[in-house]
Amino acid sequence: MCCWCSCLECIHNIPPLNLLFLHFSDPAALPAGEGASGPVSMASISVPNPVPPPTEDAENIRKAVQGWGTDEKALIEILGHRTAAQRAEIAVAYEGLYNETLLDRLHSELSGDLRSAMMLWTMDPAARDAKLAHKALKKKGDRHVSVLIEVACASSPDHLVAVRKAYRAAYSASLEEDVAACPLYSDPLRHFLVRLVTSYRYSGELVDGELATAEAAELHGAVVEGNQPLYGGDVMRILGSRSKPQLRATFERFRQEHGMAFDDVLEERRSDQLAAMLKTAVWCLVSPEKHFAEVIRSSIVGLGTDEESLTRAIVSRAEIDMEKVKEEYKVMYRKTVTSDVNGDTSGYYNGILLTLVGPE
């Protein structure tokens, strides 16, 4: 099962790959630990030094797809070891040299889960998240709601802006409008999702201690004391607007004052869909490594493998915080991502996933 619609009509709706990569190319615009390079990077991909020129990579990709058969290993070796900005340059060079898009060629040469993973990886990250959100809006179920929450909460404020722009370019509609009009959701969940996808949070590190104390009390009143609905005004306002450092301070104050973590309180009410989605938002906002470790594990355990979720989690975090995801995975499950991926996948699909996960 492909993890996204890879028909040619959908491919041609994707904005060009040479979009500005706000999420990856400007470390100053990112929270600590979310850059793809530099001393605070928690990215897991490795890039050769020196990096070959984009035209050389494009020519080698052409060699890998010409003639009888496809050299999947060569494609993984090139694209799996390049950053988003470098992949964009390769795509521009490839189209200039061969008068076809790189995504078109990958679509025609690959198949199955490998094709899904390679195409998601090769896309511009903002266009990728726009595509994932658009697909999630067409399917019913908590795991698809979680995709929207990931897109809204698990990355930088500038990245969410880029996703909304990419969504508008690809689908001639706004992400906010499509979430608000989605017939699969009803209030208060729909109202909460709209609040999340329209947010633009302060990206600095300043924290107001008095505000953290006050809002911790407001969350306790709403979630524990029940003096307002779970998705009432205070909860939506706090989670939908506060910066990630401010939320961390609020949740820490909640733990200090009440002896229990806010997400643990929500876990006790996990049978309630609203509480479960609220917990997903909390994790994506302040500890996304926990959320994506859980996504990877859930995609592997049980009968069969949820390749769609497994691919999404690994592809979307490889340039952000996969090293933290791997560390959290060991703490939560006493196993490694590598061992579980090896146990449930094979072939070249296994190869691209492990390339992006990196060594453990």
Side-chain angles (χ1 to χ4, degrees):
M1 178 70 68
C2 290
C3 70
W4 64 299
C5 176
S6 53
C7 65
L8 290 177
E9 179 182 357
C10 288
I11 291 171
H12 290 303
N13 281 336
I14 298 168
L17 283 175
N18 57 337
L19 293 173
L20 178 64
F21 292 100
L22 288 174
H23 189 45
F24 296 106
S25 60
D26 183 8
L30 299 174
E34 289 195 1
S37 61
V40 298
S41 174
M42 295 303 288
S44 56
I45 65 164
S46 60
V47 178
N49 185 18
V51 179
T55 52
E56 181 179 330
D57 279 340
E59 289 167 353
N60 286 330
I61 289 173
R62 185 69 170 183
K63 292 176 185 176
V65 299
Q66 277 190 318
W68 292 102
T70 302
D71 188 347
E72 292 91 348
K73 185 176 180 180
L75 293 177
I76 293 171
E77 185 62 27
I78 297 169
L79 294 172
H81 293 283
R82 301 294 185 272
T83 67
Q86 290 161 355
R87 297 192 304 275
E89 291 176 344
I90 294 169
V92 171
Y94 186 93
E95 186 169 2
L97 288 170
Y98 305 111
N99 199 33
E100 65 174 359
T101 71
L102 179 56
L103 285 176
D104 280 349
R105 174 54 68 176
L106 293 176
H107 181 273
S108 65
E109 292 291 331
L110 304 175
S111 62
D113 296 319
L114 174 64
R115 178 169 68 183
S116 299
M118 288 294 288
M119 293 184 73
L120 275 179
W121 176 245
T122 303
M123 290 178 68
D124 160 58
R128 174 204 302 147
D129 278 355
K131 187 76 178 179
L132 291 171
H134 188 259
K135 182 181 179 183
L137 285 168
K138 298 180 180 297
K139 294 192 175 185
K140 191 173 184 178
D142 286 358
R143 71 188 183 96
H144 302 295
V145 178
S146 293
V147 174
L148 293 172
I149 296 174
E150 291 170 11
V151 170
C153 300
S155 298
S156 71
D158 284 339
H159 179 67
L160 179 55
V161 172
V163 171
R164 293 205 293 257
K165 290 180 180 178
Y167 191 99
R168 187 167 58 246
Y171 306 111
S172 300
S174 75
L175 175 58
E176 308 92 288
E177 290 171 335
D178 281 357
V179 172
C182 182
L184 300 177
Y185 308 139
S186 58
D187 289 330
L189 176 60
R190 176 166 49 195
H191 182 43
F192 183 63
L193 292 174
V194 171
R195 184 72 182 250
L196 293 181
V197 300
T198 58
S199 67
Y200 186 76
R201 303 172 192 276
Y202 166 66
S203 58
E205 296 297 318
L206 292 178
V207 169
D208 185 329
E210 292 184 359
L211 181 64
T213 299
E215 293 191 334
E218 290 170 355
L219 289 176
H220 187 267
V223 177
V224 179
E225 298 173 8
N227 58 20
Q228 63 174 270
L230 183 62
Y231 275 29
D234 286 341
V235 177
M236 285 198 179
R237 172 180 54 78
I238 294 168
L239 293 185
S241 62
R242 297 304 182 205
S243 72
K244 296 180 181 183
Q246 184 68 43
L247 287 170
R248 291 189 186 98
T250 297
F251 297 146
E252 176 59 21
R253 192 60 53 88
F254 186 100
R255 186 193 63 78
Q256 292 173 354
E257 293 291 330
H258 306 293
M260 191 172 188
F262 184 60
D263 55 325
D264 287 340
V265 173
L266 296 172
E267 177 66 24
E268 290 184 343
R269 301 173 59 174
R270 194 172 182 84
S271 59
D272 179 345
Q273 183 199 29
L274 299 182
M277 294 302 98
L278 189 58
K279 180 191 171 186
T280 297
V282 169
W283 274 13
C284 285
L285 284 165
V286 301
S287 50
E289 66 277 4
K290 291 184 179 180
H291 170 73
F292 286 100
E294 184 177 75
V295 171
I296 292 171
R297 182 66 174 176
S298 297
S299 71
I300 288 173
V301 298
L303 294 175
T305 303
D306 179 359
E307 290 89 356
E308 178 180 341
S309 296
L310 179 61
T311 300
R312 185 186 78 251
I314 291 176
V315 166
S316 64
R317 306 314 287 184
E319 287 186 276
I320 303 177
D321 61 357
M322 181 52 71
E323 292 298 332
K324 292 177 72 174
V325 173
K326 291 188 292 187
E327 293 170 4
E328 189 63 37
Y329 199 91
K330 292 176 185 176
V331 171
M332 294 173 71
Y333 305 113
R334 300 292 187 263
K335 300 189 74 175
T336 66
V337 173
T338 298
S339 64
D340 276 355
V341 169
N342 272 330
D344 258 51
T345 65
S346 61
Y348 292 115
Y349 175 57
N350 171 272
I352 183 58
L353 294 184
L354 292 186
T355 296
L356 300 183
V357 167
E360 289 195 79

